[in-house]
Amino acid sequence: MFDEVISFIKNINPERNFIPLHEPVFSGNEKKYLNECIDSGYVSSVGAYVTAFEEAIAAYTGAKRAVVVVNGTQALHLACVVAGVGKEDEVITQPLTFIATANAISYTGAACIFVDVDKDTMGMSPESLKLFLETNAVIRDGKCFNKTTNKQIKACIPMHTFGHPLRIDEIATICKQYHITLIEDAAESIGSTYKGKATGRFGLMGTLSFNGNKIITSGGGGAIITDDDAVADLAKHLSTQAKIPHTWEYAHDHIGYNYRMPNLNAALALAQLENLDSFIEKKRALAIIYKTFFEKKGFNFVSEPEHAFSNYWLHAIILKDRTERDAFLNESNANGVMTRPIWNLMNKAPMFAQCQCTNLDNAQWLEDRVVNIPSSVTYKENESN
């Protein structure tokens, strides 16, 4: 049924029996920086590459500060802690996301509230967020409370799906109106911008991921970016077990976390960041190739939304229904082309089944239809036609 599609994808990736969804590319200074790191003896969470990578991430995104940590999930958790999210609080997020978003909220003891997404961005819908708050929220003493649960709605965490920016400026305006802290889950969207501004920079904090399958990787790693020095200082302090700096004393003033990125990972990540723009250029070129092909064949290829510049981390197509989606997944994977469906909605997971939700028609529609296709930057441009 999908022979022509599978053949086309294989032709972009010649001489390979198995085509992965996404694989890292190490073509720059990775080995050089790793060797320098090993030679220095500083391979753990103290070392020159940690500082260098933090400064480079801040400069690349335009943020004032960056704090690097062990992975994107812990970046989200730490951001929630710094924002004051705790037990008995609530955090608004989207159901169509990788589970790390909901898990990180849960680590604080807070409960998730799920609002719908937009079909064109696959990210949180400003209309759904606004409708939920108009119906359920009340402001008391400059704080937002849920009229149904009487709990404070402390934060909102939208996620930029597959690197495509959502309408984050509208979300930011709504959050400000309702005194809700905005934390962006930009784990998939480093290098993406919305109306010329980097994702992750529209709220108090943004979080990034450098997992092995991301557009740049440190094996494992994440970061918090912010324009607030006090926020950055607290995040950095908490990530190092909240140890008060001293030559020999072990004194701690908060419940802290062992979340600091090791120097080895930072060395790898810094070399990767140097090639990020070229990776994005290749991904955007591949997007054009895919879009041209799939539109000719009557498929809906997911393109960057209006006002957005996307890194196209993972390419995606939209099938006509779940039956066609499953048929494509079965046939492509059986023929050595790795494809994956978009995530199951978070509100369907047993640990989040009791969470408050809005109407989730768009999220359900996308869950039934969206499939990711091979998205590595190693494709052969001259083999694409």
Side-chain angles (χ1 to χ4, degrees):
M1 179 179 178
F2 298 102
D3 290 349
E4 192 172 0
V5 173
I6 293 168
S7 295
F8 180 79
I9 294 174
K10 284 187 171 183
N11 193 43
I12 297 175
N13 301 268
E15 302 175 0
R16 301 194 66 166
N17 293 323
F18 172 75
I19 304 170
L21 191 66
H22 193 280
E23 61 183 344
V25 174
F26 303 111
S27 57
N29 288 314
E30 287 87 356
K31 290 182 179 179
K32 177 178 181 290
Y33 292 169
L34 285 170
N35 285 334
E36 289 175 357
C37 181
I38 292 169
D39 290 343
S40 75
Y42 290 95
V43 297
S44 191
S45 58
V46 176
Y49 279 107
V50 173
T51 301
F53 185 47
E54 286 182 335
E55 292 174 350
I57 284 291
Y60 187 89
T61 60
K64 189 174 182 180
R65 297 281 297 278
V67 178
V68 294
V69 293
V70 291
N71 58 55
T73 308
Q74 306 306 4
L76 268 177
H77 174 224
L78 191 57
C80 287
V81 172
V82 170
V85 176
K87 189 176 180 181
E88 301 305 318
D89 290 329
E90 294 178 334
V91 177
I92 300 173
T93 189
Q94 60 199 59
L96 193 68
T97 183
F98 181 57
I99 198 167
T101 311
N103 278 345
I105 294 167
S106 300
Y107 298 160
T108 68
C112 298
I113 297 171
F114 297 114
V115 301
D116 206 5
V117 299
D118 287 323
K119 286 183 180 179
D120 60 337
T121 69
M122 299 178 291
M124 184 181 288
S125 165
E127 288 81 9
S128 183
L129 174 63
K130 184 178 181 182
L131 180 60
F132 173 82
L133 291 170
E134 288 176 345
T135 305
N136 296 279
V138 60
I139 305 299
R140 297 198 297 262
D141 299 322
K143 299 176 181 178
C144 184
F145 289 88
N146 188 330
K147 290 188 290 187
T148 301
T149 64
N150 206 35
K151 294 182 179 181
Q152 185 178 353
I153 302 174
K154 189 69 70 70
C156 176
I157 305 180
M159 196 273 290
H160 301 285
T161 303
F162 305 147
H164 297 296
L166 56 93
R167 303 208 313 268
I168 189 61
D169 57 342
E170 297 177 45
I171 298 288
T173 297
I174 296 168
C175 287
K176 185 176 180 179
Q177 177 185 355
Y178 282 89
H179 306 277
I180 297 171
T181 299
L182 175 58
I183 301 168
E184 286 177 75
D185 185 347
E188 302 171 359
S189 63
I190 185 170
S192 299
T193 61
Y194 187 74
K195 296 184 178 179
K197 187 175 183 178
T199 56
R201 293 201 54 232
F202 287 80
L204 179 63
M205 288 172 276
T207 63
L208 308 173
S209 173
F210 312 112
N211 187 37
N213 68 342
K214 294 300 189 294
I215 190 167
I216 61 170
T217 182
S218 52
I224 294 171
I225 58 174
T226 182
D227 291 334
D228 190 313
D229 282 324
V231 165
D233 289 342
L234 179 57
K236 195 163 188 175
H237 182 57
L238 294 178
S239 75
T240 57
Q241 298 285 24
K243 183 179 182 296
I244 300 171
H246 192 278
T247 305
W248 62 82
E249 290 285 356
Y250 288 93
H252 308 260
D253 58 1
H254 291 77
I255 294 175
Y257 309 91
N258 185 18
Y259 283 178
R260 289 291 282 154
M261 178 184 283
N263 204 35
L264 275 171
N265 297 83
L268 183 63
L270 184 63
Q272 286 273 285
L273 183 60
E274 292 171 351
N275 284 322
L276 177 55
D277 286 341
S278 67
F279 291 164
I280 293 174
E281 183 179 354
K282 285 178 176 286
K283 282 183 171 288
R284 291 179 63 82
L286 180 56
I288 293 172
I289 293 169
Y290 273 146
K291 182 179 175 64
T292 301
F293 171 80
F294 282 109
E295 287 187 350
K296 286 180 180 177
K297 301 302 175 184
F299 291 92
N300 185 356
F301 176 76
V302 177
S303 299
E304 63 190 5
E306 188 179 10
H307 305 303
F309 175 90
S310 176
N311 68 8
Y312 280 96
W313 169 54
L314 284 185
H315 298 296
I317 56 174
I318 300 176
L319 285 303
K320 68 179 182 180
D321 54 29
R322 185 177 284 264
T323 299
E324 186 176 67
R325 184 203 75 167
D326 290 347
F328 178 67
L329 288 167
N330 284 324
E331 193 167 337
S332 57
N333 282 285
N335 284 278
V337 175
M338 186 176 179
T339 58
R340 288 291 182 268
I342 202 167
W343 315 281
N344 294 333
L345 301 188
M346 291 300 101
N347 59 296
K348 295 181 179 179
M351 53 282 195
F352 303 122
Q354 302 306 312
C355 293
Q356 192 172 3
C357 301
T358 65
N359 179 292
L360 302 178
D361 285 351
N362 289 343
Q364 184 60 63
W365 188 91
L366 290 164
E367 184 202 82
D368 289 340
R369 294 164 173 81
V370 175
V371 173
N372 292 123
I373 56 179
S375 306
S376 301
V377 300
T378 53
Y379 73 95
K380 305 296 183 182
E381 293 180 74
N382 62 343
E383 298 289 338
S384 60
N385 293 318

